[in-house]
Amino acid sequence: QSSRRPTATRVAPCIPLAYPQSWADTPSRVSCSSAAWAHHSFLGKRQRITGTSIWAEKILFLDIKKTGELQRAHKLAFELLFPLCLGKSADPHEFLGISAKEKQSYRKTGYPFSLPAFRPHVTLARLRPAKRGVMPQLSKKARQHFPNCCIEFSKICIYAVGPHGSCGKILFEQKL
């Protein structure tokens, strides 16, 4: 391990704290609870990148260290948002090679990374089946690009899910 201080990169992508959902009620209602987010110190603070991984045999993640701060923010997002959701994925599809904990989370909430299965990450790529053979090379290149690195997040967004869980239309945004 290097003793150098990690560099920080400002990124536009999101770290999913909750889950892409079909909404039963409008999440903009959560804006009245935005004061609750002010106490979450992960915003504006460097979050360590721990590496890259291939998830569900088709998605390349930039993995972020699972800290107590991020877990508490995830729990708050879950508590605020789950009552507004239909409890099923807004973009259902099959996930291959995922853990039993992720399968259980997906069945219960419509998102594979809820509560104990929370996995902080930034999605770097999603590949079609015909292109998945290049995933190991992409993962290696991404790992080389982000050595000893941290990223910072400066706002909370709630969004309508797009294809493959991508960030669609932003429904609520709070800079902190």
Side-chain angles (χ1 to χ4, degrees), residues 5-174:
R5 181 181 164 116
T7 57
T9 304
R10 295 209 179 254
V11 294
C14 64
I15 179 173
L17 292 176
Y19 36 83
Q21 285 286 330
S22 296
W23 299 104
D25 194 2
T26 176
S28 61
R29 185 173 100 183
V30 175
S31 62
C32 64
S33 302
S34 63
W37 294 110
H39 295 65
H40 283 278
S41 56
F42 81 94
L43 290 168
K45 191 174 189 181
R46 291 177 177 201
Q47 302 297 320
R48 179 163 302 281
I49 293 170
T50 59
T52 58
S53 60
I54 301 167
W55 184 77
E57 300 180 12
K58 62 182 175 182
I59 303 172
L60 178 61
F61 283 167
L62 183 63
D63 296 312
I64 298 170
K65 184 176 180 179
K66 186 176 180 177
T67 64
E69 293 169 330
L70 288 175
Q71 286 179 285
R72 285 187 294 278
H74 167 68
K75 187 174 185 285
L76 175 63
F78 185 87
E79 290 168 352
L80 289 173
L81 299 175
F82 192 70
L84 303 177
C85 297
L86 296 175
K88 62 181 182 175
S89 178
D91 186 32
H93 41 90
E94 213 174 307
F95 298 119
L96 304 173
I98 66 173
S99 74
K101 191 186 288 188
E102 292 165 345
K103 286 178 187 174
Q104 182 180 19
S105 174
Y106 188 69
R107 276 194 305 274
K108 285 184 174 181
T109 67
Y111 184 61
F113 306 124
S114 293
L115 298 174
F118 176 55
R119 181 178 184 174
H121 68 277
V122 172
T123 301
L124 297 176
R126 293 174 188 85
L127 295 180
R128 293 185 186 99
K131 302 288 185 183
R132 291 187 189 146
V134 302
M135 191 63 89
Q137 295 92 334
L138 284 176
S139 182
K140 182 178 178 182
K141 284 197 178 284
R143 214 175 2 263
Q144 291 168 349
H145 186 72
F146 294 101
N148 198 32
C149 189
C150 294
I151 56 177
E152 293 179 11
F153 298 92
S154 60
K155 61 185 172 181
I156 297 287
C157 294
I158 299 170
Y159 62 90
V161 68
H164 307 287
S166 63
C167 181
K169 179 183 174 191
I170 292 177
L171 304 173
F172 168 77
E173 183 175 354
Q174 177 73 39

